Amino acid sequence: MALRKADQRVSISDSAGVVVDARKLTTREFNVRLHALLSQGKTRITITNPEARHNLGVGLLQGCRLEFEGSVGYYCLSYCDGIDATVKGNSGWGLGDNLMSGRIIVTRNVGSSTGASMRGGEIIVWGDAGARTGISMKGGTVIVAGDSGFLTGFMMQKGRIIVLGDVGSAAGDSMYEGIIYFGGKVKSLGADAKIEPVDRREQKEVVGILMSAGARLEDIPRSFKKIVSKKKLYHYDSLEPLERDRMVI
Amino acid sequence: MTTLKEPDTNEVLSQRIVEDIQVKAELGRYRIRGFSTFQRLVHFDDVMFVARNLTERNSENGTVETETILGTRFAERAIKISTPVYITGMSYGALSRTAKVALAKGAAKVGTATCTGDGGMLTEERRYSTKMIYQLNASRYGVTPQDLVKGDGIEIVVGQGAKPATGGLLMGQKVSAIIAEKRDLPAGIDQRSPTRHPEWLGPDDLGIFVETMRELTDWKVPIQIKIPACRVRDDVKLAAKTGADGIVIDGMQAGTGASSEVVLDHSGIPTLSAIATAREALKEIDLYKKVYLVVSGGIRNGVDAAKAIALGADAVAIGQAAMIALNCNREIPGVTDFDREVGVPAGYCTKCNTGKCPVGITTQDPELEKRLILDEAAVRVANFLDSMTTEMKVITRAVGKNNVHDLSPDDMVALNLEASIMTKLPMVGTQTVPSMTRW
Amino acid sequence: MCGIAAVLYKVQAGDQRHPVGRQLREMLYAMRHRGVDSTGVTVCGESFGTDYVARLFVPGENAVDAKVITEAKKAVMGIGGSIDSISRVGSFFRVGLDFKGDVRILADAILGVPGVEIHSIGRSSEIIKDTGDSYELDRRHDISRLNGTHGVGHVRLATESQVDIRHSHPFWAYPFPDISVVHNGQLTNYHTLTRKLQQRGYRFQTHNDSEVIGVYIADKLSQGIKLGDALEQSLDDLDGTFTYVVSTDSGIGVAKDRWSAKPFVIFETGELVGVASEEVALRRVFPENVERFEPQEHTVLTWNVALAPVIGGRS
C-alpha cells in the first residue's frame, strides 16, 4: 500500500536530544530512565534496540518527543498523556492503551487492541492493524493506512477510527457511539452495526484529518463509507413494572 | 374443608418460582435484580470456633491486635489498615455520590480502606479516604492514568462473585446525565459493561499487563486481582503466577447492583468453600502468606470475618453489609414507604437495579438521594466497622489468641458434612476430615 | 498461559542441518514470561542411525528401578524390534531402535509396560520436554546441540503442581511418527472431539486438550488429506481459543482461531520462516529489521522443507 512509504515522510529527530539504548536496561530501568530524563527537562529522546520488548514507556504524563528505532512489544506508550512518539517498526498488543492526548505513529504493523480504551489524541498506523483495533474507545482517533482486523471498534463509545484499507469481520460490534470510516471493504458487520454513506462535508473532514496526519492526497480513498451503531441494543425490549419508570436528568 | 393452618409449599414450584414464571411469560427475557443469591448455601454459620479450655490457653493479656498489612510481595508501600476488613468496590453509578462518600468517610474514620468501582473514581472519594484501592474493570469507565496513580493499590477485576464471567449492568433509570458523562455513554441507555478487558485476554497476557500496572505506579503500590469463586484452585494459581501481590476471591454470596438472575443464582461457588481451596492452591505453589488473600461475598459481621481469616484469608471485604449499615432496607418513618415505593416491605427489597432505592443509596434520583444524610451515614458505617472489629477481638480472645491473624483452622470445626468437605475442617465429634483424593 | 514458537528452513544443502535446537531455546527464553513451569521442543529433520528414536519418560520412583526399562526393552524385542542405544538423563530415556512394523504396535508394546510414558517416537524427530525454562532444558538435555530442518517449541504456565511433565507440550500425535503439536489456548469441545476419536480406536495419554489436536490432525493426514486442508477443517471442528503449530516430517502448519484470541507473528525470508506468539521471540534470533506480520483470524498457513540440495548438488 502506498502509504507505507511514509517511512521517509516521518521526521526523524536531529541529533539534539538524548539516546537511550534499551538493550542494556531492564524494563524497570528503562522506564525509570525515561521518567528521570523527562523530569530533568530532557524531552527529546531516541530509543535504540527496543527489540520488541513489552511495557516500554508506560505512564508518561508530560510533553515529550520520543523515537523508537525498532519494534516494540505489548502495551508500549500505554497510560500516557501529551506525548509525541514514533515507532519505526512494529508494535505488539495494546499500543497507546488509554491514551489521554498526544500522537503515536507506527511505521509498520500493529498487533491487537491498538488504542484500547483511549480517551484522546491520535494513533497513526502506516501498516496493518490486528484484531480489536480501537476496542472500547472513549475518544480520540485511530488511523490505519492498511487493513484492520477482526472486531475493529468493538464496544466503541466515542471517537473515530479511519481505515484506508479493508476492515475485518464483526466490524463495529456492539458500538455505542463513535464512527469507523473505511475506504476499502468490510468483511462483515458486528452486532447492532450498520454502514452509512459519508456526505461531502464529512469526507472533507476525514481527508483533512488524514492529511494533517501526514497522508498524501493521492493516497487517500476518494470516498469513505462509515460504520455506526444501529442503536437497537440501547434498551431492553421489555421491562418489569418497576423498571418502566425511566428517570433521566 | 382443610384442617391445615398454613398451605403446604411445593419445594420445586415454590411461590417465588410461580411468580417468576408468570412475570417471564410477560417479559420474554431473563429477569434482572440486585442484591445477592436466594440460594440456600453452606456459609459461615456452618463452622464454629472451639476454645481451648483445659488444654493450652494464653495468658489473660487483654489486647488483641487487628492491624493488617497487605502487599509485601513486590510493592514498596504495602496497604496498612487498622482492621482486616475494608469496603469493597461498588460503582459510582450503581451507588449514589452520597453513598460513595459516606463509605469513604466511614472507612477513613476507622482507619481502613475503601475501593472505587466500575464507574471511575470520585474526587471526594479520594479526598476523604485514607486508603483507597483503584478498581480497574473491563469497562474502563472514567479511567485516567492521573487517577490510577492516586490509588493506594490497584485491583484488576477479572469478575465478581455475584455474576461470574459477565460484566457490569446499569439500567437506564440510573444512567443520569452526570453518570453518562462520567462513563462516556449516551444518557438513559441500559448500559452493559464488557466482560473482558480490552487489551488482555488470558493469564499469559495478564502477566504482561500486571507489569504495565507496576510500571505505571512505579512499583510502589500493591496490585491485586479479583476473581469470582468458580475454579478457584486453577484461577488462584494463575493469578499468583502473573506476579500480583494479592488475590481477592469473591464468593457466590456476593452482591451486585444489577444482574440477570440466572447468573446470580446459578453460577459460582460458596465463599466458605473458596477460602480453603484458595489457601491450598497458594500452598501448592509456595506462595501462601506471600501473596495475600482477601475474601468477600456475604461477610455479615466480625465473626464471619474471623472465620474467613482462620481459614486462610488475610482480610475480608464487605459490600452488602456496608450498604445495610448505610440504611439499605430500613424503613425510616415519615421518609420512606417501601411497600408503596418498591412493592415489598423493608427488609425484603432487592430492587437496586431500578434506581428507586427508598433510602437513597442505589439511585441517581436527587430527591431520593437526599434521604441519605452524609455525615450520619458515615458514622453508621464507621460504627459497623468498629462492631466488626470488636467482634473479631472477642472471638480471638475466646480461642486464646492475641492477634486476629493467628487464628487458624485448628481453632474451628464444621457442623455438617458439606462444610467439613468444603473447608477441610473436621466435622464436630470426629477428628478426621472426609478424605478426597483430589480437590 | 503459554507461548509457542517454530522455525523452518526452506532449503537444505545436501546433509547440512540447521541449529534449530539452539534457535528454539532462544525464542522460548524470550517468552518465558508467558510461562516458565515447563518448556518443550520438537526438533525435526534429524538424521538418526536407526529406524526410530523413542523418547520415554518414567515418572516418580519408577525411574530408579531399572527393571522398568528392562521390561520396555523386552517388550520391544518381543515384537521383533532391536534396541541399538539407550541414553538416560534422570527419568528421561532416549532409545534408538530398529523396528520394521507399524509404529502403533511399537508404541502399544512400550505403553504396555506400567510406568513408562512415551514423549515421542519418530524417524527423524524427537520431543524433549521438562520443567523449567528453555535454558534449563538445554542444561539438562543439550537441546542446543540438536540440528535439523525445522522444529517447534512451547513454554507453559501450569495450573497443576510444579513437577508435571505429562501436560507439557509438544504433544506427540500417537501413533503417528514425527507428528507433534504445540498449542496456545483452550478448546471447549474437547470431550466431543476425544469421544469421536476414541470411537475410531485412538487412545490418549493425558486429558489435555492440546494432545487431541495432534491426533485430530494426524488422523486426517493418515486419510490422505493434505496438511493445509486438515488445518482448514480444524478451524471449524475445533471450538475454543487456539493458535497451534503442527510439525510433520516435512514441514509445519499453523492455525489461528476465529476470535483472534491468541497472538501470533510471522517472520519470513526466502531462506526460512520463524513464527512465535510474540515478536520479542523473533527479534532475539533474527535481528534484521525484516517486516513481520500477524495473521488475521481464522487463518491457516503451511510451509514445507525442500530436501533437494541447492544448485550444483545431486538430486
Side-chain angles (χ1 to χ4, degrees):
Chain A
M1 291 217 60
L3 275 165
R4 284 180 203 166
K5 293 195 197 108
D7 273 353
Q8 290 104 41
R9 235 173 299 124
V10 171
S11 68
I12 313 300
S13 67
D14 51 272
S15 49
V18 180
V19 176
V20 175
D21 185 353
R23 183 176 288 161
K24 305 199 174 100
L25 305 169
T26 63
T27 309
R28 183 83 277 260
E29 288 165 348
F30 176 87
N31 283 315
V32 167
R33 174 77 62 87
L34 235 53
H35 278 93
L37 288 170
L38 292 181
S39 62
Q40 290 159 29
K42 303 207 168 78
T43 56
R44 297 177 70 87
I45 305 171
T46 302
I47 296 114
T48 55
N49 301 310
E51 289 172 339
R53 285 162 54 194
H54 303 313
N55 291 317
L56 299 179
V58 176
L60 304 170
L61 302 179
Q62 60 186 96
C64 57
R65 172 92 193 105
L66 306 175
E67 306 261 343
F68 287 83
E69 303 274 342
S71 295
V72 296
Y74 286 24
Y75 315 131
C76 179
L77 300 168
S78 53
Y79 297 90
C80 292
D81 194 349
I83 56 169
D84 182 7
T86 305
V87 172
K88 289 176 60 193
N90 304 301
S91 165
W93 286 20
L95 173 80
D97 188 359
N98 222 108
L99 181 68
M100 300 295 292
S101 71
R103 189 179 70 159
I104 304 173
I105 296 174
V106 177
T107 63
R108 291 206 155 89
N109 306 315
V110 294
S112 296
S113 303
T114 303
S117 203
M118 65 191 276
R119 309 190 76 91
E122 257 183 2
I123 298 177
I124 303 159
V125 179
W126 294 124
D128 295 325
R132 302 177 181 87
T133 305
I135 180 176
S136 215
M137 268 174 91
K138 294 152 174 64
T141 307
V142 176
I143 297 169
V144 180
D147 302 327
S148 183
F150 177 57
L151 279 178
T152 295
F154 180 56
M155 296 201 85
M156 198 175 167
Q157 295 172 231
K158 285 180 187 165
R160 260 183 313 237
I161 301 174
I162 305 172
V163 180
L164 276 73
D166 298 331
V167 184
S169 323
D173 192 302
S174 303
M175 280 169 81
Y176 281 103
E177 291 180 313
I179 306 177
I180 305 171
Y181 295 102
F182 62 98
K185 305 186 299 292
V186 171
K187 193 145 173 224
S188 69
L189 286 172
D192 207 36
K194 63 178 175 180
I195 296 178
E196 280 184 353
V198 166
D199 63 28
R200 285 167 66 97
R201 184 199 56 79
E202 220 175 340
Q203 172 79 16
K204 269 180 81 171
E205 199 186 314
V206 172
V207 170
I209 295 168
L210 289 171
M211 287 183 66
S212 55
R216 295 179 307 182
L217 187 58
E218 57 264 37
D219 295 329
I220 299 174
R222 284 298 175 81
S223 64
F224 283 93
K225 294 214 256 308
K226 62 182 178 182
I227 301 170
V228 294
S229 171
K230 276 200 227 161
K231 306 195 178 180
K232 289 261 161 48
L233 293 181
Y234 273 21
H235 299 284
Y236 280 93
D237 288 337
S238 58
L239 298 165
E240 297 196 43
L242 261 183
E243 290 169 340
R244 261 176 232 147
D245 262 337
R246 296 260 154 183
M247 183 271 325
V248 176
I249 297 179
Chain B
M1 258 309 271
T2 178
T3 54
L4 291 172
K5 289 264 170 64
E6 285 168 10
D8 221 346
T9 44
N10 181 325
E11 289 293 329
V12 174
L13 289 156
S14 62
Q15 254 202 313
R16 190 165 72 81
I17 296 291
V18 167
E19 187 250 3
D20 194 56
I21 296 175
Q22 286 167 348
V23 168
K24 289 193 279 204
E26 305 286 327
L27 206 55
R29 58 158 170 88
Y30 52 78
R31 293 182 80 181
I32 296 168
R33 64 173 176 82
F35 226 80
S36 51
T37 180
F38 285 134
Q39 296 270 39
R40 184 202 292 264
L41 297 162
V42 171
H43 203 48
F44 292 100
D45 293 337
D46 293 301
V47 294
M48 285 291 130
F49 279 109
V50 283
R52 289 170 183 73
N53 294 300
L54 287 177
T55 55
E56 187 195 314
R57 194 181 187 177
N58 265 2
S59 67
E60 292 302 305
N61 180 355
T63 55
V64 173
E65 285 298 323
T66 58
E67 189 187 73
T68 302
I69 301 175
L70 303 173
T72 50
R73 191 182 185 198
F74 291 126
E76 195 181 295
R77 283 196 313 249
I79 298 173
K80 211 196 287 190
I81 44 181
S82 61
T83 178
V85 52
Y86 70 82
I87 313 279
T88 200
M90 292 182 275
S91 78
Y92 168 51
L95 265 54
S96 63
R97 173 181 291 262
T98 310
K100 284 297 282 178
V101 178
L103 290 168
K105 282 186 154 184
K109 201 160 181 291
V110 153
T112 188
T114 182
C115 187
T116 56
D118 195 8
M121 184 188 90
L122 279 170
T123 327
E124 298 117 299
E125 205 178 348
R126 175 65 278 189
R127 195 164 130 222
Y128 290 116
S129 325
T130 49
K131 298 282 153 75
M132 185 202 80
I133 299 171
Y134 193 103
Q135 194 183 73
L136 197 65
N137 286 279
S139 65
R140 305 297 169 85
Y141 294 136
V143 172
T144 69
Q146 288 87 350
D147 281 352
L148 266 165
V149 302
K150 288 196 178 114
D152 296 290
I154 293 188
E155 176 172 278
I156 301 174
V157 174
V158 175
Q160 51 181 124
K163 43 183 184 177
T166 65
L169 179 57
L170 197 66
M171 300 296 279
Q173 302 85 299
K174 296 168 80 170
V175 185
S176 64
I178 298 173
I179 296 295
E181 205 202 307
K182 182 102 179 145
R183 298 191 179 198
D184 295 293
L185 292 169
I189 62 162
D190 294 325
Q191 171 256 302
R192 276 172 283 195
S193 303
T195 58
R196 291 184 157 192
H197 286 253
E199 73 284 84
W200 63 265
L201 292 176
D204 32 15
D205 326 311
L206 176 56
I208 308 172
F209 186 72
V210 167
E211 191 189 50
T212 313
M213 289 296 108
R214 290 221 182 272
E215 291 297 318
L216 177 62
T217 56
D218 214 17
W219 286 72
K220 287 201 164 73
V221 301
I223 314 285
Q224 60 189 40
I225 297 179
K226 179 166 172 176
I227 308 174
C230 293
R231 296 165 197 269
V232 173
R233 188 161 169 263
D234 289 347
D235 286 340
V236 164
K237 286 189 185 179
L238 289 170
K241 286 177 184 183
T242 62
D245 293 277
I247 297 172
V248 180
I249 282 283
D250 200 25
M252 73 175 287
Q253 286 98 331
T256 174
S259 168
S260 71
E261 270 198 315
V262 178
V263 189
L264 196 52
D265 284 329
H266 301 284
S267 181
I269 66 171
T271 307
L272 192 70
S273 66
I275 311 174
T277 312
R279 174 193 78 214
E280 291 303 309
L282 286 173
K283 280 187 183 170
E284 276 178 47
I285 52 173
D286 197 34
L287 285 173
Y288 182 52
K289 294 302 174 190
K290 293 176 188 158
V291 168
Y292 65 85
L293 197 59
V294 176
V295 166
S296 57
I299 304 283
R300 306 157 299 174
N301 47 50
V303 77
D304 281 353
K307 289 174 180 174
I309 291 166
L311 285 171
D314 293 284
V316 302
I318 56 168
Q320 294 169 95
M323 290 189 25
I324 297 170
L326 279 176
N327 259 350
C328 165
N329 263 299
R330 179 159 162 212
E331 193 82 77
I332 305 171
V335 180
T336 64
D337 184 346
F338 272 74
D339 269 313
R340 188 179 52 79
E341 295 184 72
V342 289
V344 287
Y348 293 88
C349 177
T350 62
K351 310 285 183 185
C352 323
N353 57 305
T354 63
K356 292 199 170 324
C357 178
V359 288
I361 300 173
T362 59
T363 180
Q364 298 303 323
D365 182 339
E367 289 309 308
L368 293 175
E369 194 176 341
K370 277 185 198 152
R371 300 180 188 178
L372 185 66
I373 299 164
L374 176 61
D375 288 322
E376 287 174 15
V379 166
R380 278 196 298 277
V381 170
N383 283 344
F384 180 70
L385 287 166
D386 276 337
S387 79
M388 285 185 72
T389 308
T390 54
E391 286 179 329
M392 278 187 248
K393 287 183 177 182
V394 161
I395 201 76
T396 306
R397 199 160 36 229
V399 299
K401 304 214 165 148
N402 293 116
N403 189 320
V404 70
H405 296 291
D406 285 337
L407 290 170
S408 69
D410 53 279
D411 290 317
M412 301 178 70
V413 290
L415 290 182
N416 55 54
L417 212 53
E418 285 92 349
S420 173
I421 295 175
M422 287 186 196
T423 58
K424 280 226 163 189
L425 292 172
M427 205 176 101
V428 64
T430 73
Q431 288 191 337
T432 56
V433 178
S435 76
M436 299 178 63
T437 50
R438 200 187 145 78
W439 72 317
Chain C
M1 61 284 278
C2 300
I4 56 181
V7 61
L8 179 143
Y9 283 85
K10 298 181 185 178
V11 182
Q12 331 300 322
D15 284 334
Q16 184 211 337
R17 294 294 184 261
H18 300 276
V20 165
R22 184 172 56 73
Q23 287 175 331
L24 286 171
R25 179 194 71 185
E26 291 304 304
M27 288 168 80
L28 296 174
Y29 194 68
M31 291 192 296
R32 65 196 182 285
H33 55 269
R34 293 185 76 92
V36 80
D37 292 320
S38 61
T39 308
V41 300
T42 313
V43 178
C44 313
E46 301 184 86
S47 337
F48 294 151
T50 49
D51 290 339
Y52 296 99
V53 161
R55 282 265 181 178
L56 309 180
F57 177 58
V58 186
E61 305 100 46
N62 288 321
V64 178
D65 186 353
K67 262 176 60 180
V68 174
I69 281 303
T70 316
E71 290 300 308
K73 276 203 241 181
K74 275 199 336 211
V76 171
M77 295 197 292
I79 51 166
S82 64
I83 309 270
D84 184 75
S85 63
I86 303 187
S87 63
R88 174 187 178 168
V89 172
S91 304
F92 299 81
F93 295 84
R94 186 181 190 275
V95 183
L97 57 90
D98 290 302
F99 179 66
K100 306 301 174 197
D102 194 304
V103 173
R104 186 192 286 251
I105 299 174
L106 174 62
D108 286 348
I110 297 173
L111 286 173
V113 180
V116 178
E117 289 171 25
I118 303 179
H119 279 181
S120 66
I121 296 183
R123 292 182 181 279
S124 59
S125 69
E126 54 189 317
I127 295 177
I128 304 116
K129 49 189 183 179
D130 202 346
T131 55
D133 63 36
S134 66
Y135 265 77
E136 286 171 56
L137 192 71
D138 191 25
R139 246 192 308 279
R140 259 178 256 151
H141 303 280
D142 256 339
I143 58 168
S144 58
R145 297 222 266 142
L146 295 174
N147 301 321
T149 54
H150 55 292
V152 300
H154 185 271
V155 291
R156 184 160 185 265
L157 178 64
T159 51
E160 298 83 27
S161 61
Q162 280 294 86
V163 184
D164 188 347
I165 300 160
R166 182 170 300 134
H167 295 275
S168 304
H169 310 208
F171 281 102
W172 173 50
Y174 160 102
F176 302 96
D178 300 305
I179 299 185
S180 78
V181 69
V182 290
H183 168 223
N184 182 205
Q186 184 129 26
L187 294 186
T188 51
N189 65 339
Y190 160 76
H191 292 292
T192 319
L193 287 167
T194 328
R195 198 168 44 237
K196 286 195 184 143
L197 288 164
Q198 276 169 342
Q199 279 162 3
R200 310 246 314 276
Y202 292 106
R203 59 194 277 193
F204 298 92
Q205 293 191 77
T206 70
H207 290 296
N208 196 294
D209 55 352
S210 311
E211 188 189 8
V212 173
I213 301 178
V215 176
Y216 169 93
I217 293 292
D219 176 51
K220 299 269 176 196
L221 294 174
S222 75
Q223 293 170 43
I225 299 170
K226 297 225 297 282
L227 178 63
D229 293 331
L231 293 166
E232 287 274 0
Q233 288 177 24
S234 82
L235 292 181
D236 289 319
D237 288 340
L238 302 182
D239 223 338
T241 61
F242 54 87
T243 296
Y244 71 85
V245 184
V246 173
S247 68
T248 68
D249 58 351
S250 59
I252 60 174
V254 171
K256 188 168 170 183
D257 67 33
R258 73 184 72 236
W259 316 114
S260 206
K262 290 298 173 186
F264 204 64
V265 289
I266 298 176
F267 164 102
E268 187 167 4
T269 67
E271 192 206 344
L272 59 80
V273 58
V275 304
S277 300
E278 292 175 14
E279 187 176 349
V280 68
L282 298 177
R283 291 279 154 242
R284 197 171 164 106
V285 181
F286 311 112
E288 323 97 77
N289 206 14
V290 172
E291 184 151 326
R292 74 106 173 100
F293 78 98
E294 184 164 344
Q296 300 291 8
E297 78 284 2
H298 220 240
T299 302
V300 157
L301 293 157
T302 58
W303 295 272
N304 277 315
V305 171
L307 281 167
V310 292
I311 298 165
R314 291 174 290 117
S315 51

